[in-house]
Amino acid sequence: MNSGSLSGWSNLTLTYDGSNLTMYINGVSFAITNVNQTPVTNGSDTLIGGNTNGLSGGSSSDYFDGKIGVVHIYDTALDGGQVSQIYSQYSSRY
């Protein structure tokens, strides 16, 4: 799936359970990647919907072309049922 195939409102959720990074699109598991290392911080601020080139005066055009309605950050990995429940709660609003 590429970004050009989505239209309208979509929900994107990423979870990390200590070994797997899972991407859900509209409440459905889309991709699972095994991560063989512990994530570490690079000391940079979190940036959602853009890239660091834009912040540093670069001329990059890699910005998210849409609107971000809600962002949640949890301190635990959500399971598939929880992701589906959150998607269902928000989907009726859009």
Side-chain angles (χ1 to χ4, degrees):
M1 172 183 287
N2 63 43
S3 60
S5 65
L6 295 176
S7 63
W9 179 83
S10 294
N11 173 269
L12 173 67
T13 303
L14 300 172
T15 66
Y16 176 68
D17 65 6
S19 59
N20 293 307
L21 179 66
T22 305
M23 178 174 64
Y24 296 85
I25 297 177
N26 295 335
V28 177
S29 176
F30 183 76
I32 300 173
T33 301
N34 184 270
V35 179
N36 293 322
Q37 60 189 30
T38 302
V40 296
T41 181
N42 62 4
S44 297
D45 293 333
T46 300
L47 181 64
I48 299 172
N51 66 41
T52 56
N53 287 336
L55 291 178
S56 62
S59 61
S60 178
S61 62
D62 296 333
Y63 287 94
F64 174 71
D65 187 17
K67 295 179 181 178
I68 298 172
V70 178
V71 174
H72 294 269
I73 299 174
Y74 297 92
D75 64 355
T76 187
L78 303 177
D79 63 33
Q82 292 167 312
V83 171
S84 292
Q85 181 180 21
I86 291 168
Y87 168 71
S88 294
Q89 289 172 346
Y90 281 100
S91 64
S92 63
R93 298 179 187 187
Y94 300 95

